[in-house]
């Protein structure tokens, strides 16, 4: 099967439905700017040739807003979809535009997504984090400060090449982003999924 079709099929299989989450936006210094509720709905057509997306937001002041995205048409090529995560974002920096990266990790009916946005100079502008659950809102414990996160997390690392070849998973240990500064960039994008203490 064509690799792009395989990627599309995983989008249909693992990322369809109504996702309930609480979105929190942070400044580049890590300070909370605002928080709101969102229901993201991904609805495929009967033959799964298209997926429609609708985001319904409820803000702290009870204002509501609905935004429509798509439809996404088979085979979507702007994102990498795996069984337990996806990644997509800007492919290049354009004058006057914002560069962003969106990473999601999935476990059963729950997932956690982080979106980082950068300004025209390449500096971090803000980032948004939102845990979601399929079908209903759930209470999610607060994330501890980074200095309190255990350093013994392990997970798997995969790479993807420009022609959509995905490497087998390799066991890897979690590292804080600050520890990765100055390291050489990999030749292919990487997806990391982890479990604490395993």
């Amino acid at each position: 099967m064509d690799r792009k079709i395989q990627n599309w099929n995983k989008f249909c299989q693992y990322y369809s439905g109504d996702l309930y989450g609480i979105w929190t936006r942070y400044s580049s210094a890590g300070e909370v700017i605002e928080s709101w509720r969102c229901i993201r709905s991904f609805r495929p057509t009967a033959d799964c040739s298209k997926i429609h997306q609708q985001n319904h937001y409820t803000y702290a002041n009870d204002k509501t807003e609905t935004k429509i995205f798509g439809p996404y048409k088979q085979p979507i090529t702007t994102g990498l979809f795996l069984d337990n995560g996806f990644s997509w974002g800007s492919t290049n920096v354009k004058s006057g535009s914002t560069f962003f990266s969106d990473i999601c990790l999935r476990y059963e009916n729950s997932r956690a997504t982080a979106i980082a946005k950068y300004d025209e100079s390449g500096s971090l502008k803000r980032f948004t984090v939102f845990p979601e659950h399929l079908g209903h809102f759930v209470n999610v414990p607060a994330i501890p400060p980074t200095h309190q996160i255990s350093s013994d997390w392990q997970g798997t690392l995969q790479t993807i090449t420009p022609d959509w070849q995905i490497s087998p998973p390799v066991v890897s240990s979690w590292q804080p982003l600050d520890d990765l500064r100055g390291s050489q960039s990999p030749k292919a994008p990487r997806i990391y999924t982890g479990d604490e203490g395993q």
Side-chain angles (χ1 to χ4, degrees):
M1 183 185 293
D2 181 273
R3 293 187 187 105
K4 291 182 181 179
I5 298 296
Q6 287 179 327
N7 190 57
W8 173 265
N9 289 343
K10 287 185 178 181
F11 183 23
C12 286
Q13 180 179 357
Y14 295 118
Y15 302 97
S16 297
D18 297 331
L19 301 171
Y20 291 67
I22 298 176
W23 296 35
T24 302
R25 180 169 290 160
Y26 297 85
S27 69
S28 59
E31 299 170 343
V32 174
I33 299 173
E34 59 183 331
S35 186
W36 66 95
R37 289 179 172 240
C38 177
I39 302 171
R40 292 198 300 166
S41 299
F42 294 88
R43 301 288 171 83
T45 56
D47 62 357
C48 209
S49 62
K50 295 180 184 178
I51 296 178
H52 299 264
Q53 180 184 352
Q54 172 183 286
N55 288 14
H56 182 71
Y57 305 100
T58 302
Y59 300 102
N61 61 3
D62 290 329
K63 175 187 173 185
T64 61
E65 180 181 22
T66 299
K67 292 185 179 180
I68 306 294
F69 303 91
Y72 309 114
K73 299 178 181 179
Q74 183 184 29
I76 189 170
T77 58
T78 58
L80 167 64
F81 294 89
L82 302 174
D83 296 347
N84 54 3
F86 75 79
S87 177
W88 75 289
S90 304
T91 56
N92 53 44
V93 179
K94 297 179 182 178
S95 177
S97 65
T98 298
F99 182 87
F100 79 97
S101 176
D102 182 351
I103 306 261
C104 170
L105 301 178
R106 184 186 72 85
Y107 178 73
E108 295 181 348
N109 289 328
S110 296
R111 62 204 69 203
T113 302
I115 302 173
K117 291 196 174 185
Y118 298 82
D119 61 22
E120 293 80 0
S121 68
S123 298
L124 179 63
K125 187 176 181 180
R126 64 174 184 261
F127 61 98
T128 305
V129 177
F130 48 99
E132 295 178 303
H133 192 80
L134 188 65
H136 57 86
F137 288 105
V138 296
N139 292 324
V140 177
I143 299 173
T146 54
H147 67 276
Q148 293 180 8
I149 295 177
S150 170
S151 61
D152 62 354
W153 286 21
Q154 289 188 345
T156 57
L157 182 72
Q158 291 180 273
T159 62
I160 182 170
T161 61
D163 62 348
W164 295 84
Q165 292 189 43
I166 300 172
S167 71
V170 176
V171 175
S172 178
S173 296
W174 177 82
Q175 295 181 51
L177 289 176
D178 288 345
D179 292 354
L180 299 176
R181 288 184 181 163
S183 63
Q184 187 175 0
S185 298
K187 293 181 180 178
R190 301 186 298 174
I191 296 291
Y192 173 80
T193 59
D195 297 297
E196 183 176 6
Q198 301 199 7

